[in-house]
Amino acid sequence: MARARTTLRDVAQKCGVHLSTVSRVLNRKEGYAISEEVADKIRKAAAELGYKTNPFAYSLRVNRSFTVGVLVPDLSNPVFPPIIRGIEHRLAHSGYTAFLGDTDNKVEEEHRIIERMKGRQTDGLILATAHRSDDLIKTCIAEGYHVVLINRSVEDTAVASVINDDAAGIEMAVRHLLELGHRQIAHVAGPQEISTGYQRYLAFLDVMRKQGLEPDEELVAFCHAYSEDEGKLALTRIFESGKRFTAVVAANDLLALGCYDAIEQQGLTCPDDISVTGYNDMPFANKFKPPLTTIHIPLYQMGERAAEAVLTMIQGPLSQPQKITVHPELVLRGSTGPRG
Amino acid sequence: MARARTTLRDVAQKCGVHLSTVSRVLNRKEGYAISEEVADKIRKAAAELGYKTNPFAYSLRVNRSFTVGVLVPDLSNPVFPPIIRGIEHRLAHSGYTAFLGDTDNKVEEEHRIIERMKGRQTDGLILATAHRSDDLIKTCIAEGYHVVLINRSVEDTAVASVINDDAAGIEMAVRHLLELGHRQIAHVAGPQEISTGYQRYLAFLDVMRKQGLEPDEELVAFCHAYSEDEGKLALTRIFESGKRFTAVVAANDLLALGCYDAIEQQGLTCPDDISVTGYNDMPFANKFKPPLTTIHIPLYQMGERAAEAVLTMIQGPLSQPQKITVHPELVLRGSTGPRG
DNA sequence: TTGTAAGCGTTATCAT
DNA sequence: ATGATAACGCTTACAA
């Protein structure tokens, strides 16, 4: 650090013009009149001296940071890297950069990091950490921050979001299992205070009922987090209920992975004894044994669209918050098979 | 955005003092004399008004951004999230924030992102993207940037780094295999223009020779990237050479995963027919089938130490660049077994 | 113990 | 078509 950057003054001096002229040339604002002659000279000098606009001075002046804060609950969950890359790719395209924050699934950390982002004056916020009822987000919006939710959404707050159609996804999973002949289907549900956990649970009940299969309470277990451990624990509880079942719909891939463990621990095998479906089609989902049948959602593109959304909010005057819903797809792999 | 922040002037006004007094109080510089009375008043007012120092003005003034750039070659590789979290945790502790950049394993992107970081005036750079011979890094250092390498190192350039002892790690892996009775051991080597790939390859040859086992050229295959596909391709080449072997030392976990595929494709099984070792003990390494025997390295702590290193470089006058080496450990799991 | 003022590098509003 | 100048919000000598 501490290299002396060339400033507008430096290039102005070299060209024998005033620095404001240089600023005008380099910014190429509409409707400005500048002689091509001097403009060329200035551009050449700027290039020679390696002029780069000082981001602090610029931001101070225009009151924008050209950054956005991105919060994820757990960077180690493989769903997030593709999302983050999509976000960054789109942001970079517009000269924006992301500040990344990992909340470690802790509300307390969420607050801390949001405070940090606000302190950094990020122009917008992309949050993958939403809870169904989320005062933190409500506050941010009330304060006028531009926020876009990704993957998860909140209830009773008007906020931009890009999510997938959870109901459609779960319906595909359940129908697939039904077609394979399964009738006793268990559900390892996600945290109910998170929209995905709740919506997928609702959808599960709904599809089952539409098929005339009243879902059995004992065949549903709720997890407190989207982690393998929780998935294993949950399915183990179902096993211990003694209730028979031949397939499990897990609310996400990590949970499904935990189900693998529970099944193995019972001395059973997947899919011969129990079929399992996941959700998200996270990287490596195809690498486990067995490769996971799951619901694919376009993570990277969701990231791009979230970035797109936050950028338009930053630029334009905020109208109605955009709600973008992408469509999930069933991807058939090795963890589901005909009822044994 | 665009919320009118309270400035030093606002709180000065409220207290009937000059804004410079407020600045002094809030910064608590050593050896400043300020009456406790007015100091209290100021602190209370600042809290009430929710004063936060404007980062642009501050950075402009002190010529520091309190950010560091972090570059990874591929965020989707599970080794990086823990490293990144370690970095961020340590940085946040000192009021610093990271700008993350994913180079997608492309040199071209590396340049672009480094330029962006420089443009953002990051106070330092933590790079997980180093090549053994890396002009980009050489240039950064020549320009006076504070750079710390993580995981990989460069040759013939004095640069701070936190890496693991590759030779020791590979030695553990090979010895473990030898103890299991293996003699024909293959090596799926990493990219040789990357320090880890090269060092691990060298170490492999070295340990084998120390055991009096001249390594067979046909039992070594080189990969062009650390990816599953490359691992699969490489081991397939070895299979096709027709040379017999009963174990593979892969240069990292992703490569090892590819080896699983190749083994399966041959109609063989791991570890019954072929034992496999990985390197890094990335998240999920224990979740594959079979769980991967690999070399554990303390990713999170390495991240913390890299952050620590860059912070001391930023603060103090740069003396000799720190070289930190952490120690790897063998973790025994299901992918290795006695020679069949 | 506190106030004054210069300056960090920009952009934008005046003039000229 | 270009130059001068005031801000943006802050830190920090230097005065008082």
Side-chain angles (χ1 to χ4, degrees):
Chain A
M1 270 296 307
R3 270 143 286 61
R5 284 240 249 206
T6 54
T7 73
L8 282 183
R9 239 222 320 265
D10 296 331
V11 10
Q13 215 147 36
K14 172 153 183 174
C15 295
V17 299
H18 193 265
L19 66 85
S20 61
T21 307
V22 179
S23 172
R24 278 189 285 248
V25 169
L26 266 27
N27 289 0
R28 253 209 186 303
K29 274 281 210 290
E30 280 304 318
Y32 256 124
I34 7 149
S35 79
E36 261 318 305
E37 184 187 11
V38 55
D40 277 353
K41 190 169 59 177
I42 287 173
R43 273 189 288 262
K44 221 177 63 188
E48 267 175 36
L49 298 179
Y51 173 78
K52 296 263 194 56
T53 124
N54 180 311
F56 312 134
Y58 183 61
S59 284
L60 176 58
R61 189 60 239 253
V62 304
N63 198 28
R64 283 205 193 171
S65 62
F66 301 92
T67 60
V68 336
V70 177
L71 264 68
V72 298
D74 174 15
L75 186 56
S76 300
N77 181 335
V79 289
F80 293 113
I83 290 178
I84 291 168
R85 297 186 62 169
I87 292 173
E88 294 201 321
H89 184 253
R90 181 62 190 82
L91 288 182
H93 185 75
S94 296
Y96 273 72
T97 312
F99 278 119
L100 182 63
D102 185 327
T103 67
D104 203 16
N105 273 311
K106 298 201 187 75
V107 182
E108 182 197 351
E109 269 298 297
E110 240 167 80
H111 278 80
R112 245 202 295 275
I113 297 179
I114 289 269
E115 275 319 300
R116 270 224 309 276
M117 298 296 181
K118 288 181 181 173
R120 291 274 178 191
Q121 298 267 65
T122 62
D123 295 341
L125 253 19
I126 297 179
L127 308 179
T129 52
H131 296 250
R132 272 170 60 210
S133 164
D134 199 314
D135 289 339
L136 184 51
I137 291 176
K138 219 172 283 190
T139 306
C140 288
I141 292 180
E143 291 173 345
Y145 285 94
H146 297 313
V147 359
V148 174
L149 270 28
I150 186 158
N151 198 28
R152 308 173 174 185
S153 64
V154 301
E155 290 167 6
D156 68 71
T157 308
V159 41
S161 59
V162 15
I163 57 176
N164 93 100
D165 187 342
D166 285 311
I170 287 295
E171 176 157 2
M172 291 165 120
V174 176
R175 283 193 188 286
H176 166 59
L177 259 12
L178 291 168
E179 280 165 18
L180 289 171
H182 297 279
R183 288 298 173 271
Q184 291 87 16
I185 304 178
H187 181 44
V188 168
Q192 295 298 291
E193 73 275 11
I194 292 172
S195 68
T196 52
Y198 184 61
Q199 293 301 333
R200 291 170 195 175
Y201 169 58
L202 254 38
F204 174 78
L205 297 183
D206 192 52
V207 185
M208 291 291 278
R209 285 189 183 126
K210 277 201 287 195
Q211 299 302 313
L213 297 169
E214 186 55 29
D216 191 321
E217 246 186 46
E218 290 182 296
L219 287 184
V220 176
F222 296 95
C223 297
H224 299 299
Y226 279 126
S227 69
E228 304 166 48
D229 288 348
E230 280 287 319
K232 178 178 181 179
L233 253 43
L235 191 60
T236 300
R237 285 201 301 277
I238 296 179
F239 274 122
E240 286 171 351
S241 78
K243 201 80 189 175
R244 281 277 296 150
F245 64 97
T246 62
V248 197
V249 171
N252 90 350
D253 293 344
L254 252 23
L255 259 26
L257 228 54
C259 290
Y260 281 8
D261 295 338
I263 291 168
E264 185 176 349
Q265 200 172 49
Q266 298 291 319
L268 301 173
T269 67
C270 168
D272 296 340
D273 302 304
I274 310 271
S275 287
V276 175
T277 66
Y279 208 111
N280 283 344
D281 193 19
M282 70 181 198
F284 302 100
N286 57 335
K287 287 299 155 190
F288 299 101
K289 282 274 163 58
L292 185 62
T293 292
T294 186
I295 303 297
H296 177 85
I297 61 179
L299 301 168
Y300 186 89
Q301 287 94 319
M302 288 172 75
E304 285 185 316
R305 302 195 67 175
E308 180 81 34
V310 84
L311 287 171
T312 71
M313 290 175 76
I314 290 169
Q315 259 108 61
L318 44 158
S319 53
Q320 210 62 338
Q322 285 185 71
K323 301 257 184 198
I324 297 171
T325 302
V326 300
H327 294 288
E329 283 172 26
L330 177 66
V331 9
L332 263 33
R333 288 199 274 250
S335 64
T336 50
R339 174 159 73 157
Chain B
M1 270 298 307
R3 269 142 283 63
R5 284 239 249 208
T6 54
T7 73
L8 282 183
R9 236 217 327 259
D10 296 331
V11 11
Q13 215 149 36
K14 173 152 182 173
C15 295
V17 299
H18 193 265
L19 65 86
S20 63
T21 309
V22 179
S23 172
R24 279 187 284 249
V25 170
L26 265 28
N27 289 359
R28 252 206 186 305
K29 274 283 210 291
E30 281 304 319
Y32 258 123
I34 6 146
S35 81
E36 261 317 306
E37 184 186 10
V38 54
D40 277 355
K41 190 169 60 177
I42 287 174
R43 273 188 288 262
K44 222 177 63 187
E48 266 175 35
L49 297 179
Y51 172 79
K52 296 262 196 54
T53 125
N54 180 311
F56 313 135
Y58 183 63
S59 283
L60 177 59
R61 187 62 238 255
V62 303
N63 198 30
R64 284 206 194 172
S65 62
F66 302 92
T67 60
V68 337
V70 177
L71 264 68
V72 299
D74 174 16
L75 185 56
S76 300
N77 181 334
V79 289
F80 293 111
I83 290 178
I84 292 168
R85 298 186 62 168
I87 292 173
E88 294 200 322
H89 184 253
R90 181 60 189 85
L91 288 182
H93 186 74
S94 295
Y96 273 72
T97 312
F99 278 119
L100 182 62
D102 184 327
T103 67
D104 202 16
N105 273 310
K106 299 200 186 79
V107 183
E108 181 198 351
E109 268 298 297
E110 240 167 81
H111 278 80
R112 246 204 294 276
I113 297 179
I114 290 269
E115 275 319 302
R116 271 224 307 277
M117 298 297 181
K118 288 181 181 173
R120 290 275 178 192
Q121 299 268 64
T122 61
D123 295 340
L125 254 15
I126 298 179
L127 308 178
T129 53
H131 296 251
R132 273 171 60 209
S133 164
D134 199 314
D135 289 339
L136 185 51
I137 291 176
K138 219 172 283 191
T139 307
C140 288
I141 292 181
E143 291 173 344
Y145 284 94
H146 298 313
V147 358
V148 174
L149 271 26
I150 187 158
N151 197 28
R152 308 174 176 184
S153 64
V154 300
E155 290 168 6
D156 68 70
T157 308
V159 43
S161 59
V162 17
I163 57 176
N164 93 99
D165 187 342
D166 286 310
I170 288 294
E171 176 156 3
M172 292 165 119
V174 175
R175 283 194 188 286
H176 167 58
L177 260 11
L178 290 169
E179 279 164 19
L180 289 171
H182 297 279
R183 288 299 174 271
Q184 291 87 14
I185 304 179
H187 181 43
V188 168
Q192 296 298 292
E193 73 277 9
I194 292 172
S195 68
T196 51
Y198 184 60
Q199 294 300 332
R200 289 169 196 176
Y201 168 58
L202 254 37
F204 174 77
L205 297 183
D206 191 51
V207 185
M208 291 291 279
R209 286 190 184 125
K210 276 200 288 196
Q211 299 301 315
L213 296 168
E214 187 55 29
D216 191 319
E217 246 186 45
E218 291 184 296
L219 287 184
V220 175
F222 296 95
C223 297
H224 299 298
Y226 278 126
S227 69
E228 304 166 49
D229 289 347
E230 281 287 320
K232 178 177 181 181
L233 254 42
L235 191 59
T236 300
R237 285 200 302 276
I238 296 179
F239 274 123
E240 287 172 352
S241 78
K243 200 82 189 175
R244 280 277 298 149
F245 65 97
T246 61
V248 197
V249 171
N252 91 349
D253 292 344
L254 252 23
L255 260 23
L257 229 54
C259 291
Y260 281 8
D261 295 339
I263 290 168
E264 187 176 348
Q265 200 172 47
Q266 299 290 320
L268 301 174
T269 68
C270 168
D272 297 341
D273 302 303
I274 310 271
S275 286
V276 175
T277 65
Y279 207 110
N280 282 346
D281 194 19
M282 69 182 200
F284 302 100
N286 57 335
K287 285 300 157 192
F288 299 100
K289 282 277 164 54
L292 185 64
T293 292
T294 187
I295 303 297
H296 177 84
I297 61 179
L299 301 168
Y300 186 89
Q301 288 92 318
M302 288 171 76
E304 285 185 316
R305 302 196 66 176
E308 180 81 33
V310 84
L311 287 172
T312 71
M313 291 174 76
I314 291 169
Q315 259 108 61
L318 43 159
S319 53
Q320 210 62 337
Q322 284 185 73
K323 301 255 183 198
I324 298 170
T325 303
V326 301
H327 293 289
E329 283 171 25
L330 176 66
V331 10
L332 264 33
R333 289 200 274 250
S335 64
T336 50
R339 175 160 75 156

